[in-house]
Amino acid sequence: MFIGWYEWNELHLNDGARVIDKTSGKVIPSQKQFVPSGVEYVINLKLDPKEEKEIYLEKHIEQPIEFVNSFEQRGTDRARIDIGPKDINSIETDAFKITYKAGIGIDSIYSKQYKKELLHGDFSAFAPVYELTPVKDAQDIGSVRGAMGRNRKGFNVQRTVGKLQSVQQLSSGKLWKDIELNYTCDGMEFYKVILRVWKELSKIDIQVILHKQSVWAPENLYIALPFTTNLKESLWIDKPDCIFRPMHDQIPGTLTDFYTVQTGFIVQSKNYGISLSMPDTPILQLGPLQYGNRKLAGNDTKPEKGYQFAWVMSNYWETNFNASLGGFYEFSYTLEVNDLGKQEAFAKMKNDSLESVTLRLK
């Protein structure tokens, strides 16, 4: 529910407001966030197909909001911003406990519902993995690329993983907690991950925001997605009108390094599954990052547990991406844990990516 700055102040909602269900008169738990040009009130609402519900904002005095002048807080200078408690060790809700380490990043996402760790492997969740193939002669970049073949990197590739430098909690309310993690990494001026951990849902929304340096030498940027049920599991991805298991349900002898996905991927076990939508970066890297002979689909190939990456940038092709990748970028992901079947889980993933239709009546 969006309210412009002028109206928000004119109606004295800056002292507090609550969301009311017009039919029942009951208060609906809500949380506000500051967005460009105004304020949004967010609620969790479950509706049947074609059901409509009328809600309204009511002035309600709540805990005073402090004035702050800070570029680290959401909103603009001199805006009234909620100041939440700072917690630099972990973030915890009814569904998850998330921990992180300096110099490494997110090293644990624990599901309280299923009592399982959701991460596995050598890379922390949503950490940047940057590759650069050095070029001796800047005038000879073309031939260097041509010699790479299916590796899309050189024998002398230099690989670095981003290191977590700082953590701060941005907000904490009735519906979610926001936390920001800042990394240093080669090839980038800055790289940050913002987690929105929902309190009533087994769901985490993720924003990755970065400023990429302009580099002409061959380079790749991956985002680590090392999710696993830590049980016997299958990895599924979706294509238009079908889902399949990489390396299993494909023609023998075909490439197993990377796949384009429509919505995202699911790691499914008998007890539960992990869904990750990746609408902005639809190339999923599953093959080894190291230079070497590439593995093709066959009897001896299978996905490595927890070894998934979003392949977000490359200047190897020069057609799918710009030759120079410098500039600001933002990528979104959504992580959800549930006990749905794979078909139902993909359907929910697609539906959750759609915006709800909200009409302003007055």
Side-chain angles (χ1 to χ4, degrees), residues 66-133:
E66 300 178 20
F67 278 102
V68 298
N69 298 324
S70 173
F71 291 107
E72 296 181 351
Q73 296 290 340
R74 292 173 180 246
T76 57
D77 189 35
R78 298 191 64 188
R80 291 166 65 100
I81 308 279
D82 284 320
I83 303 298
K86 298 290 187 268
D87 183 354
I88 61 172
N89 298 313
S90 65
I91 182 169
E92 191 166 354
T93 64
D94 290 342
F96 300 105
K97 181 175 182 180
I98 304 171
T99 62
Y100 25 83
K101 293 181 180 178
I104 297 176
I106 303 171
D107 65 334
S108 174
I109 300 180
Y110 181 79
S111 171
K112 293 183 176 181
Q113 180 180 0
Y114 298 101
K115 296 180 174 57
K116 284 291 182 179
E117 173 61 47
L118 305 182
L119 302 182
H120 176 81
D122 299 329
F123 298 91
S124 63
F126 304 106
V129 182
Y130 177 72
E131 294 182 337
L132 176 71
T133 300

Side-chain angles (χ1 to χ4, degrees), residues 139-157:
Q139 304 298 320
D140 196 29
I141 291 180
S143 62
V144 172
R145 283 192 175 93
M148 291 179 178
R150 289 183 174 179
N151 273 279
R152 297 168 301 281
K153 63 196 71 176
F155 175 80
N156 59 336
V157 62

Side-chain angles (χ1 to χ4, degrees), residues 146-359:
M148 291 179 178
R150 289 183 174 179
N151 273 279
R152 297 168 301 281
K153 63 196 71 176
F155 175 80
N156 59 336
V157 62
Q158 300 173 355
R159 184 178 304 106
T160 55
V161 181
K163 296 181 179 180
L164 179 62
Q165 296 296 309
S166 65
V167 180
Q168 61 179 336
Q169 183 169 292
L170 300 180
S171 65
S172 180
K174 295 179 180 179
L175 301 187
W176 72 75
K177 294 181 180 180
D178 282 341
I179 195 162
E180 179 181 290
L181 301 94
N182 293 280
Y183 295 74
T184 59
C185 188
D186 291 348
M188 285 164 278
E189 297 294 337
F190 75 83
Y191 182 99
K192 67 173 63 177
V193 177
I194 299 176
L195 303 180
R196 171 159 294 181
V197 188
W198 293 84
K199 293 185 175 181
E200 297 181 355
L201 306 172
S202 187
K203 177 181 177 182
I204 305 172
D205 291 326
I206 303 98
Q207 290 176 288
V208 175
I209 305 172
L210 61 96
H211 182 251
K212 181 71 182 58
Q213 295 172 346
S214 180
V215 178
W216 285 16
E219 58 177 354
N220 295 299
L221 175 61
Y222 306 92
I223 295 176
L225 308 172
F227 297 104
T228 174
T229 62
N230 277 306
L231 296 169
K232 185 178 180 180
E233 62 190 22
S234 296
L235 175 68
W236 297 83
I237 65 176
D238 68 328
K239 294 286 188 177
D241 201 36
C242 75
I243 61 174
F244 80 104
R245 296 170 298 172
M247 306 184 195
H248 291 282
D249 305 328
Q250 68 182 87
I251 299 173
T254 53
L255 186 67
T256 63
D257 273 345
F258 64 92
Y259 302 79
T260 56
V261 300
Q262 179 154 299
T263 309
F265 70 88
I266 289 176
V267 182
Q268 188 79 36
S269 70
K270 182 179 179 180
N271 298 333
Y272 73 100
I274 303 170
S275 303
L276 191 108
S277 66
M278 40 194 300
D280 304 322
T281 55
I283 302 182
L284 182 65
Q285 172 79 21
L286 299 180
L289 299 183
Q290 293 77 13
Y291 181 93
N293 294 329
R294 314 319 296 172
K295 293 183 179 180
L296 304 180
N299 296 329
D300 61 340
T301 56
K302 61 181 181 179
E304 183 178 342
K305 180 174 288 191
Y307 198 85
Q308 298 95 215
F309 301 87
W311 190 4
V312 300
M313 289 186 185
S314 173
N315 60 7
Y316 166 75
W317 282 298
E318 301 182 11
T319 51
N320 303 58
F321 303 88
N322 292 328
S324 173
L325 301 173
F328 291 92
Y329 295 87
E330 180 176 336
F331 308 122
S332 298
Y333 302 88
T334 296
L335 174 72
E336 190 164 358
V337 181
N338 54 54
D339 58 2
L340 300 175
K342 54 184 178 295
Q343 294 283 0
E344 294 80 7
F346 272 112
K348 188 177 190 306
M349 189 191 303
K350 293 176 182 178
N351 290 336
D352 287 349
S353 66
L354 303 175
E355 293 289 337
S356 59
V357 178
T358 304
L359 303 178

